[in-house]
Amino acid sequence: MRHARRVVPLLLLVALLGGCGRDDAAAADAPLPPELACQAGAWRLPDGQAMALTPATGGMRYRTMDGRSGLFAVADRGPDGTYRARTGWRAQGGFDARAVFDDCAAGRLDFRHAQGPDGEARRLALDIRETRFASGDLDLQGRLLMPAGARAPLPLAVLVHGSEPYSAIVHQPLQYLLPAQGIAVFVYDKRGTGGSTGRYSQDFHALAGDAVAALAEARRLAPGAFAHAGFVGGSQGGWIGPLAASRSDADYVVALYGLADGALAEDREQVLDGLRARGHGDDVLAQAREVTDATGQLMASGFTRGFDALRDVRRRYGDVPWFAELEGEFTGELVRIPGWLPHWLVRRIAMRRDVATSWDYEPLPVLEALRIPQLWVIAAQDEEAPNAETLRRIAHLQRRGQPVDLALFPRTDHGILEFEEVDGERTPLRHPPGYFPLLAEWIAGTAVDASADHGTATITPRSGATQVDQARNGLQPAPHPRPVGEIGIAEQ
């Protein structure tokens, strides 16, 4: 779940070993047993709520409409054929969900959860149309999903990738959870992933072009079928979705746990949050900003500028205790590169790992120019994408009178995931109740229904900004608290 994949992970180690440019990517996951993999789809549980099943590392992950999740792992299959799942992303402990899968053609499974429901689940019928479409000289793989038998016109959501380097068509759960609520979905594999051609990239401008092409393809597949259409992007998709909307005739855009600040800000705010957590004050934070300015210059320039600035901050602060505590998306790694390494060698290694990330992209002018409705869904305790500046910018857009709605979920991390924390390590447990229904409600009407139950979410509607700082700190909610549904991310 990275906004921007680290361009130089293990850079120092690679340099010292002399393995210039070798990218030790993780081996591909072993394929799931066919009788399990074919169970992917939308399901209706005995209590009437929908559930998505999607392949994940080692098994099949379920997500229910009320936000619960777990992994039916192949390794946890019992001798009687029963698959068991722990809560959320826990790797140890007891099991609270069980499933016995019927033959895939039967469209049935027996689902039992410690908190209910128990009984037979049925596969939901969807109208699924596979396609391939062009974006420039690339050939991308896509899929249109609509509720079977639904009357047109329907709202359409084009799902925009985050930074994940794997197939959205295989792993994205929203392609099932949204149609289960009456929303048509177009999902596609980003360039260089799944069935799409090209090289994996984090060039936001190129990826926005792919999203625009995806919207056009969805409309070509089902002319006149959509009442309105827009982009729904999670994480890095929070940059790409609005940019695509600015280049198309999209009717709305949804940004999930994304940033309204630039990509370099993600590293900077991670660094500063880490130092704050260790008790450092404003004086140290100001000095650390000098360090992130230097490392940011290195990254944004493709390692052609910034070496002198990095040398200077290392000379000034390299011996103070907080310097060794620097972390962030890339700053912690860059400051540990030995100063004696030749710049050309560092540059060469970095370039071999470069994925063309748009480090210089500034989203605010794009957001200010959009006149279509926007929904921002933010995790209040997001460690991966610290969002204090994003919340300030959203409030700025609302004060300008732009049609921007905000849903802030307390006690959630990146992915809008509630978590438990032990010894500083967080384990995701579930999506909050109300998250998925909120998404479908907003997409259907491109506005927040103030009378609806949005779970724990603090809603700041477009009519004016409210104070959200208390909610971010897990204190009393801001003036318009409303509960929300649940939405998922394509997480393995």
Side-chain angles (χ1 to χ4, degrees):
M1 296 191 306
R2 291 291 179 206
H3 267 301
R5 289 176 71 205
R6 295 182 178 181
V7 176
V8 286
L10 302 180
L11 179 60
L12 172 59
L13 178 61
V14 172
L16 294 179
L17 293 178
C20 296
R22 183 171 179 269
D23 189 354
D24 294 312
D29 291 336
L32 298 179
E35 64 273 14
L36 181 61
C38 64
Q39 306 289 351
W43 293 79
R44 185 72 68 193
L45 294 174
D47 63 355
Q49 73 168 309
M51 174 179 72
L53 285 176
T54 52
T57 302
M60 187 72 71
R61 178 162 293 281
Y62 78 85
R63 288 178 175 84
T64 61
M65 191 64 68
D66 64 8
R68 289 175 290 174
S69 185
L71 180 69
F72 290 122
V74 174
D76 294 324
R77 186 186 184 198
D80 62 349
T82 299
Y83 285 87
R84 299 172 296 175
R86 297 179 177 88
T87 296
W89 281 255
R90 284 176 176 162
Q92 297 178 334
F95 301 97
D96 60 4
R98 287 167 169 77
V100 178
F101 295 96
D102 205 337
D103 180 82
C104 281
R108 293 190 303 263
L109 69 87
D110 185 68
F111 180 88
R112 299 185 182 275
H113 196 283
Q115 300 171 350
D118 293 338
E120 184 179 85
R122 288 275 186 172
R123 185 189 294 272
L124 284 172
L126 299 177
D127 177 3
I128 300 178
R129 308 180 195 183
E130 308 287 351
T131 188
R132 301 195 69 84
F133 62 101
S135 178
D137 59 356
L138 298 183
D139 183 42
L140 305 183
Q141 181 171 330
R143 171 187 289 172
L144 177 66
L145 304 95
M146 296 188 289
R151 280 190 189 172
L154 297 173
L156 170 69
V158 176
L159 303 183
V160 179
H161 261 273
S163 63
E164 60 273 7
Y166 49 82
S167 168
I169 289 177
V170 172
H171 297 288
Q172 171 58 273
L174 284 183
Q175 66 181 303
Y176 303 123
L177 290 170
L178 289 178
Q181 301 177 85
I183 309 295
V185 162
F186 189 84
V187 60
Y188 63 100
D189 289 342
K190 75 189 293 184
R191 56 177 63 198
T193 73
S196 292
T197 64
R199 181 184 177 189
Y200 174 88
S201 174
Q202 293 187 25
D203 181 332
F204 302 162
H205 303 279
L207 295 173
D210 296 344
V212 172
L215 173 58
E217 177 65 6
R219 287 172 167 159
R220 185 194 69 79
L221 287 173
F226 309 125
H228 52 267
F231 298 105
V232 178
S235 194
Q236 189 181 95
W239 285 309
I240 298 163
L243 186 56
S246 73
R247 299 179 180 179
S248 67
D249 58 351
D251 300 302
Y252 70 86
V253 64
V254 176
L256 307 174
Y257 44 94
L259 292 177
D261 203 351
L264 290 176
E266 182 177 39
D267 171 77
R268 180 188 69 233
E269 295 306 317
Q270 286 181 12
V271 168
L272 299 183
D273 275 2
L275 293 175
R276 289 188 190 98
R278 290 177 171 85
H280 295 293
D282 291 343
D283 55 339
V284 169
L285 298 182
Q287 295 166 351
R289 276 295 303 268
E290 297 178 43
V291 180
T292 59
D293 286 347
T295 57
Q297 186 180 32
L298 270 173
M299 295 298 288
S301 69
F303 287 76
T304 60
R305 297 189 310 277
F307 285 105
D308 291 343
L310 180 59
R311 181 198 61 222
D312 290 344
V313 295
R314 185 186 281 123
R315 176 178 51 80
R316 290 200 301 274
Y317 307 123
D319 294 331
V320 299
W322 59 261
F323 195 83
E325 299 172 354
L326 295 174
E327 295 176 359
E329 190 75 14
F330 53 77
T331 286
E333 292 175 317
L334 294 186
V335 298
R336 291 172 181 85
I337 298 174
W340 49 261
L341 274 180
H343 295 173
W344 67 264
L345 178 59
V346 176
R347 186 179 304 114
R348 180 180 176 186
I349 297 170
M351 288 177 65
R352 291 290 295 272
R353 305 183 69 90
D354 182 37
V355 290
T357 304
S358 299
W359 297 111
D360 59 349
Y361 175 63
E362 172 50 65
L364 187 58
V366 173
L367 300 176
E368 289 178 330
L370 286 177
R371 293 295 177 262
I372 58 175
Q374 301 177 49
L375 171 65
W376 286 75
V377 184
I378 299 295
Q381 293 175 266
D382 197 326
E383 285 191 326
E384 188 167 316
N387 47 47
E389 177 62 21
T390 287
L391 291 170
R392 283 191 286 270
R393 292 185 175 202
I394 292 171
H396 159 75
L397 294 172
Q398 291 179 320
R399 286 192 298 270
R400 284 169 52 99
Q402 292 181 250
V404 178
D405 297 316
L406 169 67
L408 182 68
F409 280 91
R411 298 177 298 281
T412 60
D413 202 345
H414 202 65
I416 315 298
L417 288 163
E418 296 178 354
F419 58 89
E420 62 184 4
E421 188 165 4
V422 178
D423 296 330
E425 293 293 324
R426 292 182 175 183
T427 299
L429 299 178
R430 57 169 295 155
H431 303 281
Y435 172 48
F436 295 123
L438 168 68
L439 286 184
E441 169 204 305
W442 192 94
I443 292 169
T446 61
V448 174
D449 180 358
S451 65
D453 180 9
H454 299 117
T456 59
T458 295
I459 302 296
T460 305
R462 66 192 65 177
S463 56
T466 62
Q467 200 50 257
V468 295
D469 290 334
Q470 291 178 317
R472 291 187 73 250
N473 294 323
L475 303 175
Q476 298 252 339
H480 299 289
R482 298 288 179 193
V484 179
E486 50 174 41
I487 208 150
I489 57 173
E491 179 181 15
Q492 297 203 57

